[in-house]
Amino acid sequence: MNEINIAQIDLNLLKCFEVLYEEQNASRAAERLGITQSAVSASLRRLRDIYQDPLFQRTGRGLAPTTKAHALKPLVSNALNIFRETLLSLPDNTNTLQQRIITLGMSDDFEIAFAQEIIQQVRLKFPHYRIVIKQTYMHIIAEMLVKHNVDIGVTSGGIYYHSLYRELMVLGDYSCLVTHPEDAVDLTLEKFLGFEHLLISNTAQIGIVDEHLTKLNKTRYIFASTSHFAAIPWLLKRKGTVCTLPTHAARKISEIVPSLIYTKCPISIPTYPMVLSCRKTSLKDKAILDVQEVIRSVINSYK
């Protein structure tokens, strides 16, 4: 194994690696770094020599990280984050190493309801941060955090690893979306069961409503199922149809699509926790703490 003198390694090589990993495209990486694409290619050649690995393989869609690159990413980012912390005390510092991408893991109901406000507030308060959102849900968020696929999770629970930080923000509840004002008036259980239902479920079989209806010896007619909350405005069109979903998403969808009216759910469904999570090692990272504070502010204010 060749011995590498660390004094001969340019710190900007690590920044180039981080941006290449995040963009998986040489031209976009060059644009973000403010250098030419040929300079990015030269940096990648140096990185390949240092780590004795291709790091990124060309595909029809860009550059795909190798197994080695996946393993290096959290180590490189942690090293750069430590260096970024040393720059925070410098006045009027515009060093590009302070430009951070913070990756949030959210299910699409949280994304619909809160992402726009979170991004807007982060841009106003921390213009050198860039938010990236990845699709997740409670059953996979812990694994995504442990594998460094996301930096922060916003989910309805699902965090049980000892190495992860878990914080309850608020309790969520459920509402209904209907397509006609008359359908929202005096929405009793009997009236609710007379509607055709759009089911939102990862399994596309049953949902939390069905679990509670079973306890009442009741059933409902489901006319369609989808795993995406974003599909609701396109699927919920006819009078006499209804969709039951988390109140935060119902409220936001109703704001965006005035033809959909949100109203109280006639079934008593228990509340659920809205959980903010990250790796415990990230609790010393100022950028992570900054974005977490924005998330708390946005989600706590929704109540």
Side-chain angles (χ1 to χ4, degrees):
M1 179 177 179
N2 294 331
E3 185 174 343
I4 299 293
N5 182 355
I6 195 170
Q8 297 176 353
I9 300 177
D10 184 349
L11 185 62
N12 285 309
L13 288 175
L14 300 185
K15 178 60 180 175
C16 183
F17 171 86
E18 183 182 56
V19 174
L20 272 172
Y21 187 96
E22 291 166 348
E23 296 293 345
Q24 296 185 23
N25 181 284
S27 61
R28 289 200 301 268
E31 184 176 353
R32 270 186 60 191
L33 291 166
I35 59 178
T36 64
Q37 189 169 337
S38 60
V40 169
S41 298
S43 295
L44 180 55
R45 286 194 295 273
R46 287 287 317 282
L47 287 163
R48 285 168 169 166
D49 288 341
I50 292 168
Y51 291 109
Q52 299 293 295
D53 187 87
L55 298 177
F56 300 94
Q57 303 281 12
R58 293 197 177 277
T59 69
R61 303 180 66 178
L63 297 172
T66 64
T67 301
K68 179 74 170 180
H70 284 306
L72 285 172
K73 173 57 169 59
L75 300 175
V76 170
S77 289
N78 286 343
L80 288 172
N81 291 343
I82 291 170
F83 185 72
R84 289 181 180 108
E85 288 185 24
T86 70
L87 301 176
L88 294 175
S89 61
L90 299 180
D92 300 323
N93 187 359
T94 57
N95 192 301
T96 57
L97 284 170
Q98 281 193 279
Q99 296 176 355
R100 286 289 301 278
I101 286 184
I102 308 295
T103 304
L104 309 185
M106 289 180 162
S107 55
D108 65 337
D109 59 312
F110 284 99
E111 187 173 354
I112 288 167
F114 304 121
Q116 181 184 26
E117 182 65 20
I118 290 169
I119 291 169
Q120 184 175 352
Q121 288 199 25
V122 168
R123 287 186 63 190
L124 288 173
K125 296 178 180 179
F126 312 104
H128 51 293
Y129 299 164
R130 172 183 162 196
I131 298 298
V132 170
I133 297 174
K134 288 188 176 181
Q135 184 80 40
T136 189
Y137 57 94
M138 62 179 294
H139 299 298
I140 62 172
I141 182 59
E143 183 179 1
M144 292 181 74
L145 283 165
V146 169
K147 291 185 175 180
H148 290 250
N149 292 326
V150 297
D151 299 309
I152 299 172
V154 182
T155 56
S156 54
I159 302 297
Y160 306 106
Y161 286 40
H162 179 71
S163 61
L164 300 178
Y165 169 77
R166 180 183 189 275
E167 174 187 329
L168 170 63
M169 293 180 287
V170 296
L171 294 175
D173 55 13
Y174 293 86
S175 292
C176 293
L177 282 175
V178 296
T179 61
H180 195 279
E182 290 180 2
D183 293 344
V185 176
D186 297 326
L187 185 57
T188 63
L189 177 58
E190 183 179 0
K191 185 176 179 180
F192 177 77
L193 293 178
F195 291 154
E196 296 182 5
H197 292 253
L198 173 63
L199 170 64
I200 311 295
S201 170
N202 287 323
T203 63
Q205 299 297 322
I206 63 171
I208 192 168
V209 171
D210 304 284
E211 294 172 5
H212 285 78
L213 286 177
T214 299
K215 298 175 184 177
L216 301 174
N217 293 317
K218 304 285 187 180
T219 60
R220 61 176 177 164
Y221 174 71
I222 297 172
F223 74 90
S225 302
T226 179
S227 60
H228 300 290
F229 290 91
I232 291 173
W234 284 266
L235 300 178
L236 201 66
K237 294 283 191 179
R238 293 178 289 106
K239 187 178 186 300
T241 56
V242 63
C243 182
T244 305
L245 66 163
T247 296
H248 57 266
R251 184 184 300 174
K252 191 65 175 182
I253 291 172
S254 182
E255 290 177 7
I256 298 170
V257 186
S259 61
L260 295 178
I261 305 150
Y262 94 92
T263 186
K264 185 177 179 180
C265 180
I267 303 174
S268 179
I269 303 176
T271 58
Y272 58 89
M274 294 189 187
V275 174
L276 178 67
S277 57
C278 68
R279 293 175 293 278
K280 287 182 178 178
T281 54
S282 297
L283 293 174
K284 295 181 180 180
D285 187 331
K286 183 179 183 301
I288 300 296
L289 297 178
D290 287 339
V291 175
Q292 283 183 329
E293 188 55 39
V294 169
I295 293 170
R296 286 189 197 96
S297 174
V298 170
I299 292 183
N300 288 335
S301 66
Y302 117 91
K303 279 292 188 180

